[in-house]
């Protein structure tokens, strides 16, 4: 556990998703810097091979000369970091007909001891022997025929009562599942506790019922909480200082908000969980009574600001929030994308000031009772920022946010729950709001909300960000480029075309005195599936599945 605790400061390994529990995605390495990054060249590349060449949203891990990388269709590889040679491959046997909302992606693994862990599309958490790739244990989280899937990188956290725990969420809000967070023992996968994310549902501890999340019908009508969604599908982060797990919670179901008056807790929220018991310490709801699919799953990043323990999260609803991570108290919120219209702002208590002109109407009150009136809402349901993780640089004290500028025509329709069927009650068409760009990498000052610089990108950004003590920010684009920019100014200082769109997250580490940068390339994910008119901006991008690793070109002096 000490290795994980030091991951953010370590330079030789990358042991967890987010480069440390706080998920700042900051590396103290500075061998590669703004002055010499133009000498960055490929060290090796490894193709995943086969025909499964889409949607590589993963982040590599590196441990003592071995890279562990997951791929689409629930696969994992171990790779020699010196040569790019494949050491082993594991491919899960997936059943036919899985109910996946947002492609066949996987977002990464977790390491602890002699095992490497990841989640599979058929809603399992699997532990592999990290030397051989053989299955040590596998546990079914829930029924995939109900819409349960799993794509996030697991989180390893300490606990005094149970020892090291592997913490996971689940996907499936679009199918009316009830979201929950689970903690299992790392050695054998035994379940320790569960915490439902929707009020009215009861958690467990050590195999027995524990406490209810909230109170029945406190913010949900009737029995709607029984199919209330709220999937924590992106996984979580951990704060060792407050001994707290932070999990983001997805949209309440169905999308048609007129069927469920009330705040619908804890849909579209961040919740703080005690790893010892699974109890919720506090919750903060970014979009109460969500009517736009503004999932609250985006990562919670812990950092220090003016001597205070704070946390930041950039929400799908277009606002960037600062919270007190000790108690969840709202501190501030700033818009980080343009032309937001669903809300006029965030009030002093942290609640959105809704503009009801931009909530789609109740179809039950329409002339035919089948379709409500359409509204054009900004941002679109894919969000000002979706799953793709931002980074925080403690030197510049700026956040680097991969954002998108788009809106949507949105209308509501009647809906009833049916197991295994889509549970939306809404229709939509996503549209760009600017002619010259959709994506924008933005540097934001968390003290003021000021956008210090912004880099436009024609297609939507859908991959994560890395920043370093070398004064750099690395990010990828759907057009296939891995780019490096000056962290202070946003000036582009290097780029390399990987041959397919990048929707993964870059990492960096040091080995044998050299600094390396790696990213997985392979276009896919939600944009080409759900993107409407926006998907036109990515037409012609080839699919792929390749791990690229870079290092500085060595100067060679001719012998005399």
């Amino acid at each position: 556990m000490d290795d994980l605790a030091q991951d953010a400061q370590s330079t030789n390994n990358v042991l967890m998703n987010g480069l440390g529990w706080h998920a700042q995605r900051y590396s103290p390495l500075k061998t590669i810097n703004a002055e010499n990054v133009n000498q960055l060249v490929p060290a090796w590349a490894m193709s995943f091979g086969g025909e499964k060449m889409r949607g590589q949203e993963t982040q590599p891990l590196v441990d003592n000369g071995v890279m562990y990388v997951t791929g689409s269709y629930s696969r994992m590889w171990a790779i020699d970091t010196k040569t790019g040679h494949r050491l082993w491959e594991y491919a899960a046997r997936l059943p036919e007909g899985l109910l996946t909302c947002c492609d066949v992606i996987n977002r990464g693994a977790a390491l602890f001891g002699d095992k490497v862990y990841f989640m599979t599309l058929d809603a399992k958490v699997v532990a592999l022997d990290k030397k051989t790739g053989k299955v040590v244990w596998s546990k079914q989280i829930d029924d995939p025929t109900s819409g349960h899937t799993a794509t996030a990188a697991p989180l390893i956290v300490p606990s005094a009562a149970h020892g090291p725990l592997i913490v996971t969420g689940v996907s499936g809000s679009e199918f009316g599942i009830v979201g929950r967070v689970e903690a299992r023992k790392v050695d054998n996968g035994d379940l320790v506790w569960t915490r439902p994310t929707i009020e009215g549902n009861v958690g467990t501890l050590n195999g027995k019922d524990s406490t209810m999340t909230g109170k029945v019908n406190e913010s949900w009508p009737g029995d709607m909480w029984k199919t209330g969604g709220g999937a924590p599908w992106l996984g979580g982060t951990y704060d060792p200082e407050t001994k707290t797990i932070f999990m983001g919670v997805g949209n309440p179901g169905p999308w048609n908000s007129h069927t469920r008056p009330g705040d619908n807790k804890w849909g579209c929220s961040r919740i703080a969980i005690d790893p010892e018991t699974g109890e919720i310490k506090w919750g903060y709801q970014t979009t109460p009574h969500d009517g736009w699919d503004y999932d609250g799953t985006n990562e919670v990043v812990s950092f220090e600001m003016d001597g205070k323990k704070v946390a930041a999260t950039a929400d799908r609803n277009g606002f960037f929030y600062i919270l007190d991570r000790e108690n969840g108290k709202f501190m501030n919120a700033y818009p980080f994308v343009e032309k937001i219209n669903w809300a006029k702002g965030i009030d002093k208590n942290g609640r959105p000031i809704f503009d009801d002109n931009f909530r789609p109407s109740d179809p039950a009150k329409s002339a035919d009772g089948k379709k409500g009136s359409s509204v054009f809402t900004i941002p679109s349901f894919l969000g000002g920022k979706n799953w793709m993780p931002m980074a925080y640089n403690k030197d510049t004290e700026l956040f680097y946010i991969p954002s998108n500028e788009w809106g949507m025509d949105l209308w509501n329709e009647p809906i009833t729950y049916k197991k295994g069927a889509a549970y939306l009650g809404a229709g939509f068409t996503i549209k760009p709001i600017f002619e010259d760009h959709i994506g924008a990498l933005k540097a934001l000052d968390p003290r003021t909300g000021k956008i210090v610089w912004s880099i436009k990108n024609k297609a939507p950004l859908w991959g994560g960000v890395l920043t370093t003590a070398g004064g750099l920010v690395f990010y990828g684009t759907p057009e296939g480029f891995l780019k490096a920019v000056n962290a202070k100014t946003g000036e582009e200082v290097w780029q390399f075309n990987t041959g397919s769109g990048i929707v993964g997250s870059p990492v960096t580490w040091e080995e044998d005195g050299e600094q390396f940068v790696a990213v997985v390339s392979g276009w896919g994910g939600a944009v080409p599936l759900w993107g409407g008119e926006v998907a036109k901006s990515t037409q012609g991008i080839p699919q792929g599945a390749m791990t690229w690793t870079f290092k500085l070109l060595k100067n060679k002096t001719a012998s005399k």
Side-chain angles (χ1 to χ4, degrees):
M1 194 60 72
D2 289 343
D3 288 345
L4 294 185
Q6 296 301 315
D7 193 38
Q9 292 79 40
S10 171
T11 57
N12 297 325
N13 295 314
V14 180
L15 299 180
M16 71 177 73
N17 190 54
L19 282 72
W21 275 323
H22 285 169
Q24 294 180 2
R25 296 184 178 270
Y26 168 87
S27 170
L29 286 170
K30 51 188 177 182
T31 300
I32 300 171
N33 54 55
E35 284 67 45
N36 63 17
V37 69
N38 61 349
Q39 298 297 306
L40 206 60
V41 296
W44 55 261
M46 191 211 81
S47 172
F48 291 175
E51 298 178 356
K52 299 174 180 178
M53 305 281 283
R54 79 181 215 216
Q56 313 303 336
E57 290 189 4
T58 190
Q59 179 216 290
L61 302 178
V62 177
D63 184 17
N64 293 316
V66 179
M67 177 183 290
Y68 301 90
V69 60
T70 64
S72 57
Y73 296 94
S74 305
R75 297 170 294 162
M76 188 190 298
W77 293 263
I79 308 169
D80 186 321
T81 56
K82 290 184 174 64
T83 65
H85 176 69
R86 184 183 311 192
L87 302 175
W88 54 255
E89 176 183 352
Y90 172 81
R93 293 184 178 180
L94 299 174
E96 297 292 331
L98 289 174
L99 304 172
T100 59
C101 84
C102 307
D103 212 358
V104 291
I105 56 90
N106 187 280
R107 297 189 174 99
L111 286 166
F112 187 79
D114 58 359
K115 300 178 187 68
V116 57
Y117 308 82
F118 83 131
M119 301 173 75
T120 62
L121 276 175
D122 55 345
K124 292 178 182 176
V125 56
V126 179
L128 305 177
D129 184 305
K130 69 180 186 182
K131 290 186 178 179
T132 66
K134 302 297 183 182
V135 176
V136 179
W137 57 258
S138 175
K139 299 293 182 178
Q140 189 75 51
I141 298 171
D142 216 312
D143 180 9
T145 66
S146 297
H148 292 85
T149 58
T151 58
L155 174 68
I156 307 292
V157 302
S159 77
H162 316 289
L165 298 174
I166 179 169
V167 178
T168 58
V170 69
S171 305
S173 289
E174 274 62 49
F175 298 95
I177 65 107
V178 171
R180 70 176 184 271
V181 183
E182 293 187 345
R184 297 175 182 272
K185 293 184 178 180
V186 295
D187 55 350
N188 57 19
D190 286 351
L191 189 63
V192 174
W193 55 254
T194 66
R195 174 50 49 194
T197 58
I198 297 297
E199 71 176 23
N201 294 279
V202 177
T204 65
L205 177 63
N206 296 324
K208 299 179 180 180
D209 286 351
S210 56
T211 59
M212 181 180 290
T213 298
K215 299 177 181 179
V216 174
N217 297 139
E218 185 175 24
S219 65
W220 285 83
D223 289 340
M224 296 294 291
W225 54 274
K226 294 181 179 179
T227 53
W233 53 264
L234 193 53
T237 61
Y238 176 69
D239 177 21
E241 297 173 40
T242 61
K243 297 181 179 179
T244 303
I245 299 165
F246 299 126
M247 297 290 291
V249 182
N251 62 282
W255 287 21
N256 181 349
S257 63
H258 298 282
T259 65
R260 44 174 174 79
D263 281 357
N264 312 134
K265 291 181 177 177
W266 286 105
C268 298
S269 299
R270 309 304 189 277
I271 55 175
I273 300 176
D274 184 344
E276 305 294 337
T277 63
E279 296 294 323
I280 295 177
K281 293 183 174 183
W282 55 258
Y284 175 76
Q285 195 169 36
T286 46
T287 312
H289 195 215
D290 170 57
W292 307 271
D293 190 38
Y294 291 153
D295 289 46
T297 50
N298 288 354
E299 73 282 8
V300 174
V301 179
S302 298
F303 70 112
E304 304 288 323
M305 186 171 71
D306 301 328
K308 297 180 180 178
K309 293 181 176 66
V310 297
T313 189
D315 200 79
R316 267 165 71 157
N317 69 19
F319 289 94
F320 181 93
Y321 294 83
I322 303 291
L323 306 176
D324 185 321
R325 59 182 147 107
E326 295 186 283
N327 54 28
K329 182 180 178 181
F330 171 78
M331 297 176 66
N332 222 326
Y334 314 103
F336 66 92
V337 292
E338 299 184 48
K339 298 187 177 183
I340 295 171
N341 64 10
W342 70 275
K344 299 176 183 178
I346 308 298
D347 70 19
K348 65 179 182 180
N349 297 313
R351 286 185 67 88
I353 305 168
F354 293 110
D355 188 334
D356 289 335
N357 293 315
F358 297 98
R359 182 185 293 270
S361 67
D362 186 353
K365 297 179 180 179
S366 66
D368 61 4
K370 295 181 180 180
K371 179 180 177 180
S373 59
S374 178
V375 295
F376 186 73
T377 304
I378 302 172
S380 81
F381 75 88
L382 289 180
K385 187 180 92 68
N386 201 280
W387 81 276
M388 51 280 193
M390 62 185 179
Y392 174 72
N393 189 307
K394 65 180 183 180
D395 304 317
T396 63
E397 298 184 309
L398 298 175
F399 278 88
Y400 303 100
I401 307 171
S403 68
N404 290 304
E405 309 280 2
W406 44 20
M408 61 180 170
D409 290 322
L410 179 67
W411 60 92
N412 285 332
E413 302 167 347
I415 186 70
T416 55
Y417 173 76
K418 181 181 178 181
K419 179 182 175 181
Y423 190 50
L424 300 185
F428 52 82
T429 302
I430 300 176
K431 298 178 179 179
I433 60 175
F434 297 110
E435 292 185 1
D436 63 338
H437 75 289
I438 298 170
L441 180 67
K442 300 187 179 186
L444 182 144
D445 184 335
R447 288 186 175 85
T448 64
K450 178 183 177 182
I451 303 298
V452 177
W453 53 257
S454 178
I455 303 171
K456 297 176 181 179
N457 196 76
K458 179 66 176 177
L461 294 181
W462 209 252
V465 180
L466 166 73
T467 188
T468 72
L472 295 171
V473 177
F474 290 91
Y475 72 106
T477 72
E479 292 86 351
F481 289 98
L482 179 63
K483 297 187 176 187
V485 302
N486 186 299
K488 292 182 178 179
T489 67
E491 177 190 3
E492 184 177 305
V493 288
W494 176 83
Q495 67 173 17
F496 180 88
N497 195 304
T498 63
S500 181
I502 295 175
V503 292
S505 301
V507 297
T508 187
W509 74 99
E510 189 174 52
E511 188 171 344
D512 296 333
E514 293 183 286
Q515 183 181 349
F516 293 83
V517 175
V519 73
V520 177
S521 170
W523 175 240
V527 172
L529 296 179
W530 295 77
E533 293 184 19
V534 163
K536 295 177 182 178
S537 68
T538 63
Q539 286 180 349
I541 294 176
Q543 293 182 345
M546 185 85 76
T547 301
W548 287 90
T549 297
F550 304 87
K551 66 177 183 177
L552 290 175
L553 180 67
K554 287 185 177 180
N555 292 323
K556 295 183 178 180
T557 304
S559 57
K560 296 181 180 179

